[in-house]
């Protein structure tokens, strides 16, 4: 209960966004483990399946989604434990994956999700809300030339990410860092508060 993000993790568990890991005598959340891209897909799928989510126009909610018989990604077989969630993410344009040529794409499900990619996922998850990126970056380590500058700036504007205070009134986002599970709980909870 003394964990800095105990309330946010509890919120995720209460709504079924996370189920944790079954261990003898109970369950573990493993707050310091990194979030894989496949787990991110599962978290967003379950969030969208909850009463807390208001689907943007044209967005297919999980209850109305049937996974395709052919995977949209060459590295996510239909037998993958999160196949439905990953293909749902692709169908809504939340993840575009990596173009590997020949009309094929990879999702890289086991790869940890970086903070900048998380910003892009959440921005698309919200239906790409109207937003004009500021002329000056809110973070010293996210220049305007960054591929996800708009999405990271939007995340800062919503309060979903506050970044790290590095002194002198400056902040860092640390876009390439992998996200631990406790921080992901905080991001998703703040996103829920933003939507509300």
């Amino acid at each position: 209960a003394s964990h800095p993000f105990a309330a946010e993790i509890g919120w995720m568990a209460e709504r079924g966004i996370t189920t944790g890991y079954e261990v003898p005598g109970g369950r573990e959340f493993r707050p310091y483990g990194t979030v894989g891209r496949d787990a991110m897909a599962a978290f967003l799928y379950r969030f969208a399946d909850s009463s807390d989510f208001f689907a943007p126009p044209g967005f297919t909610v999980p209850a109305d989604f049937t996974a395709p018989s052919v995977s949209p990604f060459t590295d996510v077989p239909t037998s993958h434990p999160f196949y439905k969630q990953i293909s749902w993410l692709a169908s809504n344009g939340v993840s575009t994956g990596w173009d590997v040529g020949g009309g094929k794409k990879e999702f890289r499900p086991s790869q940890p999700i970086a903070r900048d990619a998380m910003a892009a996922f959440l921005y698309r998850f919200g239906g790409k809300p109207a937003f004009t990126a500021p002329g000056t970056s809110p973070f010293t380590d996210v220049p305007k030339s960054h591929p996800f500058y708009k999405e990271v700036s939007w995340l800062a504007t919503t309060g979903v990410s506050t970044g790290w205070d590095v002194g002198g009134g400056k902040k860092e986002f640390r876009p390439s860092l992998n996200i631990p599970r406790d921080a992901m709980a905080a991001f998703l909870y703040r996103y829920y508060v933003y939507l509300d």
Side-chain angles (χ1 to χ4, degrees):
S2 61
H3 189 284
F5 297 135
E8 291 88 341
I9 293 166
W11 169 83
M12 276 184 77
E14 182 183 308
R15 283 159 173 78
I17 297 169
T18 183
T19 56
Y21 298 86
E22 192 169 339
V23 294
R27 303 190 79 76
E28 291 180 348
F29 180 69
R30 302 182 186 170
Y32 307 113
T34 55
V35 177
R37 289 171 56 84
D38 54 357
M40 180 76 182
F43 287 164
L44 292 180
Y45 180 90
R46 295 171 191 153
F47 188 174
D49 202 30
S50 74
S51 60
D52 294 326
F53 182 70
F54 302 100
F59 203 89
T60 303
V61 294
D64 297 332
F65 178 72
T66 301
S69 58
V70 177
S71 177
F73 301 110
T74 59
D75 58 349
V76 182
T78 57
S79 59
H80 189 284
F82 295 136
Y83 173 68
K84 184 173 187 179
Q85 293 86 343
I86 292 168
S87 55
W88 169 82
L89 213 65
S91 77
N92 281 308
V94 175
S95 176
T96 55
W98 281 269
D99 190 334
V100 291
K104 296 180 178 180
K105 291 189 171 189
E106 290 180 351
F107 181 71
R108 304 178 187 173
S110 302
Q111 186 171 304
I113 191 157
R115 288 169 58 87
D116 56 357
M118 177 273 303
F121 277 15
L122 287 184
Y123 179 74
R124 297 169 192 156
F125 186 65
K128 299 181 181 178
F131 174 72
T132 301
T136 302
S137 178
F139 302 110
T140 58
D141 58 349
V142 182
K144 289 175 69 177
S145 59
H146 189 284
F148 297 136
Y149 175 69
K150 180 177 183 176
E151 292 87 343
V152 171
S153 300
W154 171 81
L155 210 65
T157 301
T158 63
V160 173
S161 177
T162 54
W164 282 269
D165 190 334
V166 291
K170 296 182 178 180
K171 290 188 172 189
E172 289 181 352
F173 182 70
R174 303 178 188 173
S176 301
L177 279 187
N178 297 331
I179 303 172
R181 289 168 58 84
D182 58 355
M184 192 71 247
F187 287 146
L188 288 178
Y189 178 76
R190 292 173 194 157
Y191 184 73
Y192 156 68
V193 171
Y194 161 73
L195 288 178
D196 198 38

